[in-house]
Amino acid sequence: MKTELNTKFIDQHLSRQYRERVQGFTLIELLVVIIITGILGAIAIPNFLNQDVKAKQSEAKQNLALVNKVQNSYRAERSAFADTFSKLAIGVLTDSVVAGQGTTTNYAYTITAQNANPDTASITASAKDTALKSYSGGSVRFSNADSQSIIGTILCETIVVGNAATAPSTVVGSSPTCTATERNLSL
């Protein structure tokens, strides 16, 4: 009986000492953790929200680059650029109600090939959301200084968010260039 009482007394004494040593966090420690969490959140949340916009804009860049590549192949086979998405048969974009116009959730695409001038074609991706940039691209066949026939492509991005895309300034006889309201994304 005596040993059992001693054991309970020792357990009670150790338990009290442990409770006295472990008191929890102080108010200052909690405030420091809250402030650090707030600072990290203030930095991370805007970057995270911006990723959504970048992903949507990436859709347009990828589609325009794909159309430019397929246009070059189409031009090599048929001596003219395609004026509809159905002629290109890429599957990503198909003609909607009007031939040469396609749409996705974020962008409306328009493809233009000039029948009078079979050496130029352009595609625009106009953003449906004003928070997104619009894009344009084009292919042009021109002759270089050595009189070699070259097909040049370009991909342009509007400088200001929400502006409508315009066809690149493509001139027969020289390489394609972006308009003054766009910047060149081509490599």
Side-chain angles (χ1 to χ4, degrees):
M1 176 85 171
K2 212 175 193 186
T3 57
E4 188 176 321
L5 186 60
N6 281 342
T7 306
K8 286 184 179 182
F9 177 74
I10 291 171
D11 286 343
Q12 184 70 21
H13 182 68
L14 290 176
S15 171
R16 187 180 307 142
Q17 282 182 341
Y18 179 74
R19 273 187 264 132
E20 288 174 1
R21 274 189 291 143
V22 181
Q23 296 176 359
F25 297 108
T26 64
L27 182 60
I28 293 176
E29 290 171 333
L30 289 174
L31 286 174
V32 167
V33 169
I34 290 170
I35 290 170
I36 290 172
T37 305
I39 291 170
L40 291 175
I43 293 169
I45 289 174
N47 289 337
F48 176 73
L49 294 175
N50 194 25
Q51 294 304 314
D52 181 41
V53 170
K54 286 182 181 179
K56 289 177 182 178
Q57 290 178 171
S58 177
E59 168 204 322
K61 290 186 236 182
Q62 293 299 322
N63 286 339
L64 264 59
L66 176 63
V67 170
N68 277 345
K69 288 177 185 174
V70 175
Q71 278 283 36
N72 292 344
S73 298
Y74 189 90
R75 173 69 173 82
E77 292 175 7
R78 294 184 178 81
S79 300
F81 290 108
D83 58 353
T84 65
F85 292 112
S86 58
K87 287 181 182 177
L88 295 177
I90 55 177
V92 176
L93 294 169
T94 56
D95 294 317
S96 57
V97 178
V98 179
Q101 294 182 353
T103 185
T104 62
T105 306
N106 303 309
Y107 286 91
Y109 297 88
T110 305
I111 189 170
T112 307
Q114 300 167 355
N115 292 331
N117 182 4
D119 291 337
T120 62
S122 64
I123 179 169
T124 58
S126 299
K128 293 180 180 179
D129 183 354
T130 57
L132 301 175
K133 292 184 177 184
S134 294
Y135 295 88
S136 63
S139 297
V140 62
R141 186 180 92 39
F142 61 96
S143 298
N144 66 4
D146 298 329
S147 297
Q148 296 173 326
S149 179
I150 297 173
I151 296 178
T153 61
I154 194 163
L155 181 61
C156 306
E157 174 184 66
T158 56
I159 297 170
V160 180
V161 174
N163 279 5
T166 57
S169 303
T170 54
V171 180
V172 177
S174 65
S175 61
T177 57
C178 296
T179 62
T181 60
E182 298 176 320
R183 67 183 181 105
N184 189 340
L185 297 179
S186 302
L187 298 176

